[in-house]
Amino acid sequence: MTARTALSYRPANPELAVFVSGITSMGIEVLALRIVAPQFGSHIYTVGGIMTVCLAALSLGYWQGGKRATDATNREMTWLLLGTAVYMAVVIYASDMLLSQTAALALPARYAALPSSIILFGPPTYLLGFISPYAAELSRKEGTGEASGHVYALGTIGSILGSAATTFVLIPALTVDTIGLVFGITLVATAVAIEAPSLPQKPTFASVGIAVLLVVATGAGPIALDHRGDVVYHTQTAYQELEVVDDGDVRTMYLDGARHSAMDLEEPERHVFEYTKYFHLPMLLTDDVEDVDNVLFIGGGGYTGPKDFERRYDVNVDVVEIDPQVTDTAEEYFGLEHGENMTSHTIDGKQYLQNTDETYDVIVLDAYKKDQVPFHLTTVEFMELASDRLADDGVFHANVIAAPSGAAGEFYRAQWKTMDEAFGGTYAFRTSNTNEIQNIEIAATNAETDFSEADLAERNDERDLGIDLAEEIDHYMDEPDTSDAPVLRDDRGEVDSLLDPMLGQRYVIEETEDNSSAGGDGGEPAAPAVALGTAPLVVAAAPKKRTPVER
């Protein structure tokens, strides 16, 4: 085909239909994770379940479409495209309600996302599966092989475009509902193009009506009552769904539906989440607080820890946050102000450590989620890299989410053993008196050390940190039994299997009292906030306020 021929090429109706169906089917598959993840998490079972449903529905559509292809017409393709557009309106308007309803089904945690994936994404993908065999039958190509090859090549090119455009353009720029509207209007426009220029009455009226339905569904918002509070900001970033929710005086940042940072609007310096106070434990493990000059946080969120360190100590703070919109949100809604002593870096944590020649006195790793952990930040190779970037008496601190014991503690034991392989001394602290999944803080010293609980309590009394860590030290844990735990390595992706026992389990986040002092004794811990997998909300020990289910 010459350049002039290519420029003058006008696709036939079947070619246009199969190209657009490829764009839309793959776009829906990519978008599906952003719709389902806030309810069920973005772990491997959610991703794999969505892929399985979409491929199964598409295959079923191919099969049924092939059986009916001998009677295929352009008009039938028009109705298939319009039918898919109608279902996109359903997805836009009712997805939240359907997700919450299917979440209540009594299913094992790893399969919990399947019913919603089938209901929301099975039907539109199934309808689009009819298009390819219909287009092959209606193709102007001679011979079955040539027609099939031509159609499936166009469909694959459309899929490539749909995947790339949704991933790199649409999701970073638009909301999930708006992207659904784009797909729906694209399908309607394609149906109109197939009927042009005659534009028969029924398809034309249907196209206009469906376009209006899509716009109304998008403008009306989903069927859902947000029990978390008032959503003051919501966006889709390149990495996750990001929300800022105000519940009374407490402002919380949610990433993929899970709480990651919180700030008291009346007392901005208060530690809302108890575990953020543990970030100061390295100041007891280092030889001399006055020698701590450079601190690195891997993971920013609402910048609770970095802001506290900059305010409390005479140190330079570097923060590595891979998602630039998280940092922007922290500036807009969480009072982050970059001064001379704080610098943000938009890069992956491991890449930053590989590229920097800076030496740090304290490194805090706060980049894990309950159901999704970047495995390359867990391995012994990463820990050795972090050790190389620490001063000789430096301290590495990791915020790990797991249970202190039992099957749900497999990841904790593996992470402890891996860190102990790379560092001179390793210490763990629970953040809740329960045995539920919680934030477990693991601190490790570069030098050979052997601190007892009493040693740390003595240092807490002697050192004027401006924050009392007595209660945190009381949660000092004995060395775990790691005889059956693996050392995590770059060439062995075991993290997902270690997280598996935590799926569907309760996740406890302790909160401080509203009247606690950020600069004093820390106050008495409030009862835990509870986060669950697929179980209903459970309240432990008479909490001060109910908190949302997180996944």
Side-chain angles (χ1 to χ4, degrees):
M1 180 182 292
T2 65
R4 176 172 296 183
T5 304
L7 289 173
S8 62
Y9 175 75
R10 184 183 183 279
N13 288 337
E15 295 171 333
L16 177 63
V18 78
F19 179 71
V20 171
S21 71
I23 292 175
T24 309
S25 61
M26 186 55 69
I28 290 173
E29 188 171 341
V30 174
L31 186 63
L33 181 61
R34 286 305 179 90
I35 295 175
V36 175
Q39 183 75 36
F40 296 101
S42 52
H43 48 71
I44 190 65
Y45 302 114
T46 302
V47 177
I50 290 170
M51 293 176 63
T52 300
V53 167
C54 289
L55 289 173
L58 201 59
S59 298
L60 185 60
Y62 287 154
W63 179 52
Q64 292 291 329
K67 293 174 63 175
R68 301 177 55 178
T70 53
D71 299 322
T73 63
N74 284 336
R75 180 62 51 80
E76 285 193 65
M77 287 197 300
T78 295
W79 290 117
L80 286 169
L81 294 171
L82 292 177
T84 307
V86 169
Y87 209 87
M88 289 307 302
V90 174
V91 171
I92 292 169
Y93 189 66
S95 58
D96 283 358
M97 180 190 67
L98 291 170
L99 287 168
S100 62
Q101 292 297 318
T102 56
L105 297 176
L107 290 174
R110 66 172 61 185
Y111 306 115
L114 281 176
S116 58
S117 298
I118 292 170
I119 294 170
L120 289 171
F121 311 112
T125 310
Y126 168 73
L127 292 176
L128 291 173
F130 278 74
I131 300 296
S132 290
Y134 277 24
E137 182 69 26
L138 297 171
S139 174
R140 294 176 294 193
K141 301 295 181 182
E142 295 182 4
T144 303
E146 184 181 7
S148 298
H150 182 71
V151 163
Y152 286 108
L154 281 174
T156 302
I157 293 171
S159 296
I160 294 170
L161 180 59
S163 175
T166 306
T167 302
F168 299 109
V169 179
L170 297 180
I171 287 178
L174 304 174
T175 66
V176 167
D177 288 350
T178 305
I179 297 171
L181 174 64
V182 169
F183 289 149
I185 294 298
T186 300
L187 291 166
V188 171
T190 304
V192 172
I194 290 175
E195 296 295 336
S198 59
L199 298 180
Q201 185 175 6
K202 287 185 178 180
T204 301
F205 284 167
S207 298
V208 173
I210 293 169
V212 172
L213 177 66
L214 285 162
V215 172
V216 170
T218 305
I223 302 175
L225 177 62
D226 202 319
H227 56 274
R228 301 169 303 177
D230 298 326
V231 179
V232 297
Y233 181 66
H234 177 231
T235 189
Q236 294 287 335
T237 79
Y239 298 92
Q240 56 213 332
E241 180 185 51
L242 190 159
E243 298 167 286
V244 177
V245 179
D246 285 353
D247 181 15
D249 292 335
V250 175
R251 172 167 291 172
T252 304
M253 177 185 288
Y254 287 81
L255 300 178
D256 278 341
R259 298 188 301 169
H260 274 257
S261 295
M263 181 178 73
D264 189 323
L265 297 175
E266 295 297 321
E267 298 180 65
E269 296 183 5
R270 179 173 76 89
H271 291 265
V272 176
F273 295 157
E274 185 73 33
Y275 75 83
T276 60
K277 294 173 63 179
Y278 288 73
F279 293 168
H280 296 275
L281 286 171
M283 306 305 276
L284 300 180
L285 296 170
T286 189
D287 288 343
D288 189 343
V289 175
E290 298 300 323
D291 290 338
V292 176
D293 297 317
N294 297 313
V295 176
L296 172 67
F297 278 81
I298 300 177
Y303 281 65
T304 301
K307 289 188 299 181
D308 204 25
F309 267 67
E310 183 191 34
R311 179 177 59 249
R312 194 178 300 278
Y313 309 116
D314 182 20
V315 296
N316 295 312
V317 181
D318 284 327
V319 184
V320 174
E321 171 55 61
I322 195 171
D323 191 337
Q325 290 186 255
V326 168
T327 298
D328 292 343
T329 302
E331 292 176 346
E332 180 72 20
Y333 294 97
F334 290 85
L336 172 63
E337 296 180 358
H338 285 99
E340 294 182 0
N341 297 330
M342 184 185 295
T343 306
S344 292
H345 306 268
T346 304
I347 189 174
D348 173 77
K350 187 173 185 178
Q351 290 179 340
Y352 177 82
L353 289 179
Q354 289 171 332
N355 296 335
T356 187
D357 56 2
E358 187 69 69
T359 298
Y360 292 97
D361 302 296
V362 173
I363 297 177
V364 177
L365 175 62
D366 186 24
Y368 296 172
K369 298 179 183 179
K370 173 176 176 277
D371 57 12
Q372 186 183 26
V373 175
F375 85 92
H376 65 294
L377 301 183
T378 69
T379 64
V380 69
E381 290 87 354
F382 172 77
M383 299 303 168
E384 290 171 347
L385 174 62
S387 176
D388 289 342
R389 297 296 181 268
L390 277 174
D392 291 341
D393 65 340
V395 183
F396 181 86
H397 184 103
N399 178 28
V400 176
I401 301 174
S405 61
E410 288 182 5
F411 175 56
Y412 155 59
R413 294 190 291 275
Q415 189 68 99
W416 195 100
K417 186 174 184 178
T418 302
M419 289 175 61
D420 196 52
E421 182 100 350
F423 294 99
T426 309
Y427 310 89
F429 304 82
R430 63 197 304 155
T431 59
S432 172
N433 290 321
T434 73
N435 198 43
E436 309 290 350
I437 295 168
Q438 58 190 268
N439 297 82
I440 297 178
E441 308 303 315
I442 308 178
T445 57
N446 230 8
E448 295 285 343
T449 58
D450 186 20
F451 292 110
S452 66
E453 182 178 345
D455 294 333
L456 295 178
E458 183 179 353
R459 287 194 170 190
N460 181 57
D461 292 337
E462 293 174 348
R463 297 185 176 184
D464 183 16
L465 300 181
I467 182 170
D468 185 5
L469 299 174
E471 292 181 6
E472 289 67 36
I473 295 170
D474 284 343
H475 284 160
Y476 182 105
M477 293 198 296
D478 293 332
E479 178 179 335
D481 179 6
T482 59
S483 57
D484 62 345
V487 173
L488 303 173
R489 302 187 183 279
D490 283 348
D491 60 351
R492 295 185 63 186
E494 298 179 83
V495 172
D496 284 326
S497 62
L498 295 172
L499 297 177
D500 194 24
M502 292 196 289
L503 293 177
Q505 300 297 312
R506 190 169 68 168
Y507 170 29
V508 173
I509 302 178
E510 295 282 355
E511 294 185 9
T512 62
E513 289 280 7
D514 290 350
N515 60 357
S516 65
S517 171
D521 60 10
E524 294 296 324
V530 181
L532 315 180
T534 55
L537 180 64
V538 177
V539 180
K544 296 294 184 184
K545 64 180 73 174
R546 292 182 182 270
T547 52
V549 173
E550 296 173 10
R551 292 175 171 83

